[in-house]
C-alpha cells in the first residue's frame, strides 16, 4: 500500500508525512500518484480487448496536476459542468474523450461543450435533447447523445449518493427510454448511437452494477430494433472504496472481467466513469492537534482541519480512519475528533477508539482523495488547504494554500 508505517513514521510512498506536515503546514491534502496511476491502469487492463474508454469522473478530485497526469495516461473524462470542461482542457485532456453528464446543463455549458468537440452528452430529459438539437443545428454540427437511463436498481448505498431508482432526479425511467429514442430519432442534429447509466456511488457490493448492466444489455437490443444504431454503452462509475478498516471493496479486475464476459460479442464500445475508486484511497488529509479537552465524560481531540476542509463526515455520516503521523506508544483513547468551525456538526469522528495524540502531534484522516478537497469551502473565512502530490521519494505542492487576500477576491 502507498500509505504505510516505516517504524513509527507514516509514509506516503517514499515520503515521510511528518516532513510534509511540517513544511507544507496543516491542514493539507496529500495524494499518492503511484496509487492513482495503478487504479487507472487497473481499469484499463480489466476491460482488456473489449473496446473501452476509462473516463475519470472529474468531480471526485479535479486538481489540474492530477488531470494532466491522467490525460498523459490516455484517460478520458466524465464532466458535470462547464467549469470541469475548462479544467480538462487546461490540463491537456482530449475533448474527443469527454462525456458530459448532469441533470441541469445550461445552454452556455452545452455551447461550450459543442464548440470544444466533446465525445458525447449524457442526457437526462427530452427537454435537454431538444435544446442540444437546437444548439447543434445552429452550429451545423451533430451532437452525440447517450440518454442516461434510470434502470431502477437499488445500489444499497447512502441515500445521497444513490441515483438509480425511479424516485431519483437522475436519468429517464427505463420503461420510457425506447419512446424517448423513437421521438429523438426525428431530431436531425443528434447522433443517437449511445446509451448510459450510473446507479450510485460507493458500492461495496458490485451485484447491483451487474444487475444494471444486464438490464442495459437487453435495452441495447430493443433500442437497436427500434432503429437507434447503438454503438457505445456508458456504465457510469460507482465502485466503492474501504473507508473503514476491514471493509472489503470490489476488485477492479474482477468487475472488469465480469463486464467483459457479459458484453462480449455485443459489438459495443464500453465507457466507464470511475471517480472515487481511482483517487479515494490515494489521498489523506493531514491535520495537527491544537488542543485536548474533556467535557463531562467526553474526551475531545481538537484539530486544525474542519468540516469546511472535509465535508464527508457531516454530509454522508462517512467514516474516515484517523491515524497518527508518528506513533507515540501511548495506549489508545476514546474521543471525538472535532475542528474549529462554529457548528456542532463539525466533527471527523465520534466516540472513536484512536491513538492518544497530544497537542502538536499530527494525524492523517485517511481515504480522503475523492470528494475531499473538491467539496471544501471557505466557511468561517478559513482559507482552503494546499494539495500535495507525492511521486516516489519526491513531493510538491500542486495547489497553494489560500491566503486572506484570496478570501476577499471578487468582493
Ligand atoms: C459521480 C458520478 C460518477 C463517479 O462516481 P464514483 O462513485 O466516484 O465512481 C460517474 N458518473 C456520473 C454520471 C456521476 O454523477
Amino acid at each position: 500500500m502507498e500509505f504505510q508505517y516505516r517504524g513509527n513514521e507514516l509514509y506516503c510512498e517514499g515520503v515521510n508525512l511528518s516532513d510534509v506536515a511540517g513544511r507544507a503546514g496543516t491542514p493539507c491534502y496529500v495524494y499518492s500518484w503511484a496509487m492513482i496511476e495503478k487504479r487507472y491502469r487497473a481499469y484499463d487492463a480489466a476491460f482488456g480487448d473489449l473496446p473501452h474508454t476509462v473516463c475519470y469522473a472529474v468531480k471526485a478530485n479535479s486538481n489540474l496536476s492530477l488531470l494532466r497526469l491522467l490525460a498523459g495516461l490516455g484517460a478520458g473524462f466524465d464532466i458535470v459542468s462547464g467549469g470541469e470542461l475548462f479544467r480538462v482542457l487546461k490540463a491537456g485532456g482530449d475533448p474527443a474523450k469527454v462525456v458530459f453528464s448532469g441533470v441541469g446543463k445550461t445552454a452556455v455549458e452545452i455551447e461550450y461543450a459543442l464548440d470544444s468537440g466533446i465525445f458525447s452528452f449524457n442526457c437526462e430529459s427530452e427537454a435537454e435533447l431538444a435544446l442540444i438539437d437546437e444548439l447543434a443545428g445552429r452550429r451545423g454540427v451533430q451532437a452525440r447523445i447517450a440518454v442516461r437511463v434510470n434502470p431502477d436498481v437499488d445500489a444499497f448505498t447512502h441515500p445521497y449518493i444513490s441515483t438509480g431508482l425511479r424516485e431519483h432526479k437522475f436519468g429517464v425511467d427505463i420503461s420510457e427510454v425506447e419512446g424517448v429514442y423513437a421521438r429523438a430519432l426525428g431530431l436531425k442534429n443528434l447522433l443517437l448511437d449511445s446509451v448510459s447509466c450510473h446507479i450510485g456511488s460507493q458500492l461495496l457490493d458490485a451485484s447491483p452494477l451487474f444487475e444494471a448492466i444486464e438490464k442495459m444489455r437487453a435495452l441495447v437490443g430493443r433500442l437497436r430494433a427500434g432503429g437507434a444504431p447503438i454503438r457505445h454503452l456508458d456504465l457510469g462509475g460507482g465502485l466503492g472504496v474501504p473507508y473503514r478498516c476491514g471493509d472489503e471493496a470490489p476488485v477492479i479486475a474482477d468487475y472488469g472481467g465480469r463486464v467483459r464476459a457479459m458484453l462480449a460479442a455485443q459489438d459495443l464500445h464500453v465507457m466507464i466513469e470511475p471517480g472515487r475508486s481511482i483517487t479515494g484511497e490515494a489521498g489523506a488529509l493531514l491535520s495537527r492537534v491544537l488542543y485536548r479537552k474533556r467535557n463531562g465524560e467526553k474526551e475531545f481531540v481538537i484539530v486544525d482541519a474542519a468540516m469546511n476542509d472535509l465535508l464527508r463526515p457531516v454530509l454522508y455520516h462517512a467514516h474516515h480512519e484517523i491515524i497518527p503521523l508518528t506513533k507515540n506508544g501511548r495506549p489508545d483513547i476514546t474521543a471525538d475528533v472535532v475542528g474549529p468551525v462554529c457548528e456542532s456538526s463539525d466533527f471527523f469522528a465520534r466516540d472513536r477508539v484512536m491513538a492518544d495524540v497530544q497537542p502538536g502531534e499530527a494525524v492523517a484522516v485517511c481515504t480522503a482523495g475523492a470528494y475531499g478537497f473538491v467539496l471544501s469551502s471557505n466557511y468561517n473565512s478559513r482559507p482552503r488547504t494546499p494539495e500535495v502530490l507525492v511521486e516516489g521519494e519526491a513531493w510538491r505542492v500542486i495547489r497553494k494554500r489560500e491566503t486572506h487576500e484570496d478570501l476577499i477576491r471578487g468582493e
Side-chain angles (χ1 to χ4, degrees):
M1 290 299 278
E2 282 67 17
F3 288 88
Q4 60 183 7
Y5 286 98
R6 292 191 191 169
N8 290 328
E9 292 292 309
L10 185 64
Y11 275 70
C12 174
E13 301 186 35
V15 169
N16 184 336
L17 289 176
S18 293
D19 190 35
V20 176
R23 287 168 48 202
T26 53
C28 166
Y29 277 93
V30 179
Y31 310 123
S32 158
W33 172 246
M35 183 164 226
I36 295 171
E37 177 173 18
K38 207 185 292 179
R39 291 300 169 84
Y40 172 81
R41 290 194 192 279
Y43 270 108
D44 197 32
F47 290 85
D49 54 7
L50 186 70
H52 65 275
T53 306
V54 182
C55 295
Y56 169 67
V58 173
K59 76 176 191 280
N61 186 328
S62 55
N63 184 285
L64 274 191
S65 296
L66 299 186
L67 299 183
R68 183 178 298 281
L69 286 164
L70 283 164
L73 298 180
F77 297 95
D78 170 47
I79 60 166
V80 292
S81 71
E84 286 190 352
L85 177 55
F86 177 75
R87 282 181 175 276
V88 167
L89 297 176
K90 276 278 175 199
D94 180 357
K97 290 185 186 173
V98 168
V99 298
F100 192 172
S101 302
V103 72
K105 303 175 191 77
T106 66
V108 169
E109 288 176 316
I110 292 166
E111 288 171 326
Y112 181 27
L114 286 170
D115 292 341
S116 303
I118 68 164
F119 183 77
S120 70
F121 293 86
N122 289 351
C123 293
E124 307 222 8
S125 64
E126 293 203 74
E128 184 190 339
L129 289 174
L131 178 59
I132 296 175
D133 179 62
E134 183 196 325
L135 296 173
R138 264 191 233 162
R139 284 169 166 66
V141 297
Q142 248 202 343
R144 174 176 282 116
I145 298 297
V147 173
R148 174 165 171 184
V149 177
N150 186 328
D152 199 28
V153 168
D154 195 334
F156 295 105
T157 184
H158 189 279
Y160 290 2
I161 50 177
S162 178
T163 56
L165 284 175
R166 219 165 255 151
E167 70 202 50
H168 296 132
K169 70 177 177 183
F170 297 101
V172 172
D173 194 285
I174 190 160
S175 63
E176 292 166 20
V177 172
E178 288 157 74
V180 170
Y181 274 85
R183 287 186 289 279
L185 283 169
L187 301 175
K188 291 304 165 212
N189 307 301
L190 303 184
L191 176 57
L192 287 160
D193 68 351
S194 309
V195 63
S196 73
C197 71
H198 170 73
I199 63 168
S201 197
Q202 184 49 15
L203 275 74
L204 287 180
D205 170 8
S207 42
L209 291 169
F210 299 127
E211 195 186 324
I213 293 167
E214 199 55 55
K215 286 187 168 186
M216 293 299 288
R217 182 177 64 173
L219 175 67
V220 166
R222 297 199 298 276
L223 292 175
R224 283 173 170 167
I230 305 293
R231 292 169 51 213
H232 310 280
L233 172 59
D234 186 336
L235 301 175
L239 257 61
V241 297
Y243 284 106
R244 210 176 271 273
C245 200
D247 274 353
E248 278 200 47
V251 176
I252 292 168
D254 298 346
Y255 169 69
R258 178 118 178 241
V259 171
R260 188 150 51 139
M262 290 174 83
L263 296 178
Q266 301 287 316
D267 195 19
L268 280 170
H269 165 237
V270 171
M271 322 194 60
I272 40 162
E273 305 169 342
R276 188 189 310 270
S277 51
I278 289 189
T279 51
E281 283 173 272
L285 173 62
L286 309 187
S287 181
R288 203 171 289 283
V289 180
L290 297 172
Y291 302 103
R292 289 282 297 272
K293 78 183 228 182
R294 179 176 271 282
N295 276 357
E297 285 305 289
K298 257 198 175 314
E299 184 74 37
F300 289 94
V301 176
I302 302 167
V303 297
D304 63 3
M307 62 185 282
N308 72 295
D309 303 309
L310 177 63
L311 193 60
R312 299 194 68 262
V314 179
L315 187 59
Y316 310 115
H317 292 131
H319 178 102
H320 288 265
E321 299 292 344
I322 301 175
I323 59 178
L325 297 196
T326 306
K327 290 187 193 169
N328 58 27
R330 288 191 285 273
D332 283 352
I333 54 168
T334 301
D336 284 18
V337 181
V338 302
V341 160
C342 297
E343 298 266 354
S344 291
S345 63
D346 180 26
F347 63 88
F348 291 118
R350 286 194 157 147
D351 295 320
R352 179 70 62 85
V353 176
M354 60 179 290
D356 182 2
V357 279
Q358 293 292 328
E361 295 182 317
V363 295
V365 182
C366 301
T367 324
Y371 308 104
F373 182 87
V374 287
L375 273 167
S376 67
S377 77
N378 291 120
Y379 188 41
N380 277 207
S381 285
R382 290 168 52 86
R384 278 185 294 173
T385 67
E387 293 175 287
V388 162
L389 184 65
V390 171
E391 291 179 83
E393 310 282 313
W395 63 273
R396 64 193 161 102
V397 175
I398 56 173
R399 188 184 211 275
K400 286 196 285 195
R401 184 184 304 283
E402 288 180 344
T403 64
H404 286 165
E405 288 301 322
D406 291 328
L407 291 177
I408 58 169
R409 181 156 298 131
E411 291 183 21

